[in-house]
Amino acid sequence: MPSDNKIETSVNEAHAAPAPKAADKILDVARDLFYREGIRAIGVDEIVRRAGVTKPSLYRSFPSKDELAASYLRKYDLEFWERFDEAVDAHPGNPRAQIVAFLARIGKRTQRPDYRGCGMTNAAVEYPEHGHPARVVSEANKQELRRRLRSMAAAMGVTDPDTLGDGLLLLIEGAYISGQLFGLSGPAASVARNADLLIEASLKK
């Protein structure tokens, strides 16, 4: 008859989380390296070495480094919209508060010592060719953000919602860059306050 210790061990093993698949390990490592160092700066050899997998296993999951970069950005895109939707859900029916809440989170993130801006913006700068897989994902993210900001500006009842939406987008992109340039106590920390001032000025027109 098995001992209690053996039974407990068997139960624990049965409920243990499955080991991550090679593709998941590769994507997690690539995401960290691509964000911190840049996509072009990191080679496939470095990724497989850190992920503890073989190069053939990488290419079975991702046909090319370009596709791996696009997969990283698709995951980044999902997480971006999760954060955006959290700010929206926290202030139902109040687009001004939704935008300010979202930008307040951006302002806080820019103060982290490991902050490297927006992965989408960085990828667009790295890949100027519009058909590149990474560029395609980045452009789609920015176009959707622009659409949402304009729509939210219209919901506020301002006279020129497109201009306000674009102004808010410019503030966001400026925060991404200035957060890397100035770090702690830089202008990006006040991006939410500046957005609220811009909204207020637009509502008075």
Side-chain angles (χ1 to χ4, degrees):
M1 184 173 181
S3 67
D4 291 343
N5 287 340
K6 288 184 178 179
I7 292 174
E8 184 178 350
T9 299
S10 298
V11 171
N12 289 339
E13 289 176 349
H15 291 282
K21 296 178 181 179
D24 294 333
K25 291 168 65 177
I26 292 166
L27 190 54
D28 287 344
V29 169
R31 178 197 168 101
D32 179 61
L33 291 173
F34 286 164
Y35 181 73
R36 289 191 294 105
E37 306 293 337
I39 299 173
R40 288 189 185 275
I42 298 299
V44 168
D45 289 338
E46 176 73 2
I47 293 169
V48 297
R49 183 182 69 80
R50 297 211 185 191
V53 300
T54 63
K55 192 177 291 187
S57 67
L58 183 150
Y59 287 119
R60 279 195 296 271
S61 301
F62 307 97
S64 64
K65 182 187 171 184
D66 287 347
E67 181 54 34
L68 176 57
S71 295
Y72 144 64
L73 291 170
R74 291 187 195 104
K75 186 173 182 179
Y76 192 104
D77 180 71
L78 288 173
E79 294 172 355
F80 176 90
W81 293 119
E82 284 176 1
R83 292 192 298 270
F84 190 95
D85 291 341
E86 284 175 1
V88 169
D89 293 342
H91 303 277
N94 189 340
R96 180 176 183 173
Q98 291 166 351
I99 290 172
V100 171
F102 178 64
L103 269 64
R105 294 184 180 190
I106 291 177
K108 288 181 179 178
R109 284 201 303 278
T110 65
Q111 303 303 291
R112 296 177 182 173
D114 61 345
Y115 185 70
R116 284 281 290 118
C118 173
M120 294 290 185
T121 300
N122 296 345
V125 172
E126 283 197 82
Y127 294 97
E129 56 271 32
H130 291 283
H132 189 281
R135 175 85 183 204
V136 169
V137 179
S138 299
E139 286 184 352
N141 173 273
K142 299 301 181 181
Q143 291 288 353
E144 176 60 12
L145 178 58
R146 186 187 190 197
R147 186 195 69 77
R148 291 199 193 191
L149 291 172
R150 285 180 160 198
S151 177
M152 294 166 83
M156 293 181 216
V158 301
T159 304
D160 189 354
D162 287 353
T163 297
L164 173 57
D166 286 353
L168 293 168
L169 181 58
L170 290 171
L171 278 175
I172 292 171
E173 292 298 324
Y176 291 149
I177 299 300
S178 64
Q180 298 182 67
L181 291 173
F182 295 94
L184 293 175
S185 302
S190 63
V191 63
R193 173 59 178 157
N194 279 288
D196 198 49
L197 291 171
L198 182 61
I199 292 170
E200 181 65 25
S202 297
L203 287 169
K204 289 180 179 179
K205 289 182 180 179

